[in-house]
Amino acid sequence: METAITLLLTFVGNIISVWIILEMVEKLLEVQLPKEKRRKYFWLSVTFSTFTSFIIGF
């Protein structure tokens, strides 16, 4: 049970951090990614960071 809660909290935290990073990169580079690419990069990053966090944690 606590593994599921940890994974859920990690996933939510990664969603927030990836969203903030994407916003900062767009402002820094002064570009606006198309919605399709932004969505793809967002979920790819969230999935990768959650998976990596889960693997490192165990």
Side-chain angles (χ1 to χ4, degrees):
M1 181 69 175
E2 66 185 53
T3 302
I5 293 171
T6 302
L7 186 59
L8 180 66
L9 290 175
T10 302
F11 184 70
V12 170
N14 287 336
I15 288 175
I16 294 168
S17 62
V18 168
W19 180 71
I20 291 170
I21 290 169
L22 274 176
E23 290 290 323
M24 292 173 62
V25 166
E26 283 184 342
K27 286 181 182 178
L28 182 67
L29 298 177
E30 297 177 356
V31 295
Q32 184 67 36
L33 290 172
K35 214 170 206 177
E36 283 294 316
K37 277 193 173 182
R38 183 182 171 103
R39 189 175 295 132
K40 177 180 139 187
Y41 292 143
F42 177 78
W43 287 113
L44 186 66
S45 299
V46 168
T47 304
F48 179 75
S49 59
T50 302
F51 179 73
T52 305
S53 299
F54 188 71
I55 295 299
I56 290 172
F58 286 100

